[in-house]
Amino acid sequence: MAFTLPKLPYDYDALGPHMSADTLKFHHDKHHKAYVDKLNKAIEGTPYAQLSLGEIIQKSWRNDGKVFNNAGQHWNHSFFWQCLTPSGGGQPGSDLTRQIEKDFGDLAAFQKEFADKAAKQFGSGCGWLVLDGEELKVVDT
């Protein structure tokens, strides 16, 4: 199965002033597309070619770094585009706010920890807010 670059769910200029149309075009049309192209090339003629993206990620995780990295980055970027919104987001809902306050003290402390961890990433690394059991944590990949 050949993978394709997903269409963005908004126009290139919809995220301004936080992300310019030029930045979005470059990151989506060149950077993300490169992961898709490298993944397709890496799986061509292999058993991975018949698998879904999730299956490829699971099966290549410890066995094939090149396939795993490109498949993982394709998934990460596809997810990332869905997390952005032209309306600028806003405050977290009440349940999430309570959990953030429980685990980080307050929203400002969470935002600082998240920004610090994400800013230390090299290249295509990402910072994530995850639920680990009953506790929110900031992790990086």
Side-chain angles (χ1 to χ4, degrees), residues 87-118:
S87 66
Q91 297 298 313
S94 59
D95 290 343
L96 181 55
T97 296
R98 278 191 294 277
Q99 189 72 37
I100 287 171
E101 289 170 350
K102 175 181 164 283
D103 296 330
F104 296 96
D106 59 25
L107 184 59
F110 155 69
Q111 290 171 323
K112 180 177 182 338
E113 183 174 336
F114 188 89
D116 288 348
K117 185 151 297 209

Side-chain angles (χ1 to χ4, degrees), residues 77-88:
H77 281 80
S78 298
F79 176 71
F80 177 69
W81 305 130
Q82 300 300 317
C83 293
L84 303 176
T85 176
S87 66

Side-chain angles (χ1 to χ4, degrees), residues 52 55 98 134:
S52 71
E55 290 169 323
R98 278 191 294 277
E134 299 291 320

Side-chain angles (χ1 to χ4, degrees), residues 26 38 70 112 126:
F26 180 82
K38 289 177 187 176
N70 288 292
K112 180 177 182 338
C126 294

Side-chain angles (χ1 to χ4, degrees), residues 32-86:
H32 185 175
K33 185 177 183 309
Y35 287 122
V36 173
D37 293 345
K38 289 177 187 176
L39 173 61
N40 285 330
K41 186 175 180 180
I43 66 172
E44 188 176 348
T46 73
Y48 292 124
Q50 304 306 315
L51 302 177
S52 71
L53 184 60
E55 290 169 323
I56 292 171
I57 291 168
Q58 290 175 335
K59 291 186 183 297
S60 65
W61 178 50
R62 293 184 190 235
N63 305 317
D64 192 334
K66 182 178 179 182
V67 170
F68 174 75
N69 288 340
N70 288 292
Q73 286 302 324
H74 176 35
W75 189 96
N76 287 343
H77 281 80
S78 298
F79 176 71
F80 177 69
W81 305 130
Q82 300 300 317
C83 293
L84 303 176
T85 176

